[in-house]
Amino acid sequence: MSSIIQLLPDHVANQIAAGEVVQRPASVVKELLENAVDANATDIKLIIKDAGKALVQVIDNGKGMNVTDARLCFERHATSKIRLAEDLFSLSTKGFRGEALASIAAIAHVEMKTKQDQDELGTQIVIEGSKFVSQEVAVLPRGTSFAVKNLFFNIPARRNFLKSDTVEYRHIIDEFQRVALAHPNIYFTFYHNGSEMFNLPPTSLRQRIVNVFAGKTNEKLVPVQEETDIIIIQGFVGKPEFAKKSRGEQFFFVNDRFIKSGYLHHAVMAAYDGVLKDGAQPSYFLYLTVPPNTIDINIHPTKTEIKFDDEHALYAILRASIKHSLGQFNVAPVLDFDRDANLDTPYSYKDMKGATPTIQVDRSFNPFSDDKVNKHYAAPSSYSRKTEATANWESLYVGLKQDTDFDTEGGEMSFESETVTASLFNDEEVEQSVNIAYQIHKKYIVSPIKSGMVIVDQQRAHQRVLYEQFLVNMTVQQASSQQLLFPLDLYFSTVEIELIAELKQSLINTGFVFEDTHGDHVVISGIPVNVTESEVSIVLEQLLSDLQDGIPSSSFSQNDTIAKSMARSLAVKTGTALSVKEQENLVNGLFACKDPNVSPFQKPTFITMRVEDIDKKFAL
C-alpha cells in the first residue's frame, strides 16, 4: 500500500506560506520597510504603482548583503536576526519571519539589487515565482533595492480577492505611516504613480507627527512623559476638543514597533473619562519602552499584538500619566470651574496689609430693660443716613399729576371690538386639525389615525426623509446650494484629503461647492440647504469615518453610502424638543417617502396601535 503523507515541493510550500504572510500589497510594504530599518538605513524610498499591484519597490542605503547572503535570503527560515530559540524572547529588531522573502518571491516577479560598502561591485538577482532567472554582478550604490512586480501573477484567485486601488492604497499608507512614526530619525519618501505623497526628513518626534498628518496637528498635541522601573512612556495625546468620530490617529508603539491593544486603548479612554463627547475618539501617539524579556511578540502572524507580563500595572501607569498630562496643561476641568472671577484679589491690593477693624461696644445696654429700644445705643453713621433718607418717603409723590386717560376709580375701559367672521371649516374639522401630533420624552411622536394611533421614532424617521432627499439630489444632480459669505477652510490628513477628492463629485451633487482641494486643506464656499455652517465639519468627519473600510466601486453604492452617512449626521437626535409644526412636517415627510417603514439602516421607524388593542389593555 502506497504512503498517504507526502512532502510538498518547495514552490507549493512557499505559496501556502504566502497566504499567511502576504495578504495584500501592504503586507509586502511592511516586510520590506522593516527589513530596511533593520539594515540600519538612514534614507528609505517607497515607490508604488497601481496601489502596489503592479510595483512595490523599497530602496535603502543600509549595510547591504554580499553574494552569499543575497542568495540565501530567499530561502525558507533564513535570517540574520536569530541564532538560538531564546532569541525569540529578546528581540530588539523588527522581528523574525523566516518565510517572508521566500513567500514574496513565490507569488511575484522580484528583482533585488544589493551592495555592501566595502565591496566594489554588487549583486543583482531576478526571481519569478520561486524560480531563479538570473544572478549577475552589477555596479550599484551602497544598500539594497527590492522591486516586487505583478503580485499574485501565478495565483489569479488571490488577485481577484484584492479590493479596489483606493482601498489597497489606504492600507499601504497605513503601513508606511506606522514605520515612519516609529523612526523619526530616518528620511522617508513615498511615491505613488510618479507623484510624491510624503517627504519626511529626519526631525523630532513631534515634528514627524505633524509632517505625517499635516493640517493643524501641532496645536492638538499634549505631551505625555513618564518613567518608571517597568515602563517608560513618552509621546503625545490629542486635546478633547479635537476628537473625531474615527479612530484613524491612534498609535501604540512598543520598543519602536507598532501594536494594537484594546486593553491599553481602554486605559487611554479611561483617562479621558468626563471630557469627551459620546462616540468621540481622541488621537494619541504613545511610545512605550519595556524590557524585551517582559513581552511576547510572536502570538500573532502579523506581530501587531503583544502579550505583556504585567498588564494591570501598565494599565494603571498609562491611565495616570495621560490624566496627569491633561490636567497639567489645563485640558481637563479643574475642581473650581464655577469660580467667580469677581472674588479674586485685585493686583493693586497685592502688597497691601489688611486694616484692623474697630469694634464699638455699648456697655450700658441692658437686654432685660423694659424699654423696647435702648436710647443709649449708638447706631453706625451709615445706618442713620439710610433711615433719614427713607423716613419721609410719602413726600416723594407730592405734586404728582394724574395724567391718565381713564378713570381708575371704577371707570369702565372700552376696547375696539373685532368683527367675527364665519369660519372656513366647521367645528369638527377644526378639532381634528388642532394638535394632531404630540411628542413623548423628546424621542417619539404620537399622531392619531383612523384606526388608532401611530408612534414615530423621530430620529429614524428624519434619517429616512434625509436619506431619500440626498439620493434624489445625487441621482438627478440638481441639488440646491447656499453660498457662504466667508468660505470654510477645513484641514484634514493626507489620507482624508485623498478620500474627499475621490468623493468630490458625489458631494457636489448633494449641494457642496468646493473652491479648492489640495495640500492639507479643503476650501468650501457652498453647502446644502439643509446643512448649517457649523455642521459641515461634523458631516465630513462622519463620512470619512463610515468610509474607513474603503469606497464602494459602483456609483450607486457610493451614493448610497454618502446618503446614509449624511442622514446619520444631520438627522434630529433623540432628546431634541420639536414644535407642533415640526412634528407634523416630520410625520408627513416620513409617509411621503417611498419606503417609510424602515430607516436607511433597516430599523423600524414607527409602530401602530389600534383602538381595539388599547381597549384590551383597559379590559384587564
Side-chain angles (χ1 to χ4, degrees), residues 373-421:
V373 179
N374 195 337
K375 297 180 180 180
H376 300 284
Y377 173 70
S381 59
S382 61
Y383 178 76
S384 301
R385 289 194 300 269
K386 185 176 181 181
T387 55
E388 291 174 1
T390 59
N392 300 321
W393 60 272
E394 294 90 345
S395 62
L396 298 174
Y397 298 94
V398 175
L400 184 65
K401 295 181 180 181
Q402 299 292 331
D403 295 335
T404 56
D405 295 334
F406 55 89
D407 186 7
T408 59
E409 297 181 359
E412 294 184 357
M413 293 180 292
S414 61
F415 298 94
E416 182 180 356
S417 61
E418 296 181 357
T419 304
V420 179
T421 59

Side-chain angles (χ1 to χ4, degrees), residues 268-298:
V268 176
M269 297 302 295
Y272 278 91
D273 189 22
V275 297
L276 282 180
K277 298 179 181 179
D278 293 338
Q281 292 288 334
S283 58
Y284 54 79
F285 309 88
L286 297 173
Y287 296 75
L288 316 180
T289 303
V290 297
N293 57 354
T294 62
I295 58 175
D296 183 5
I297 64 174
N298 292 295

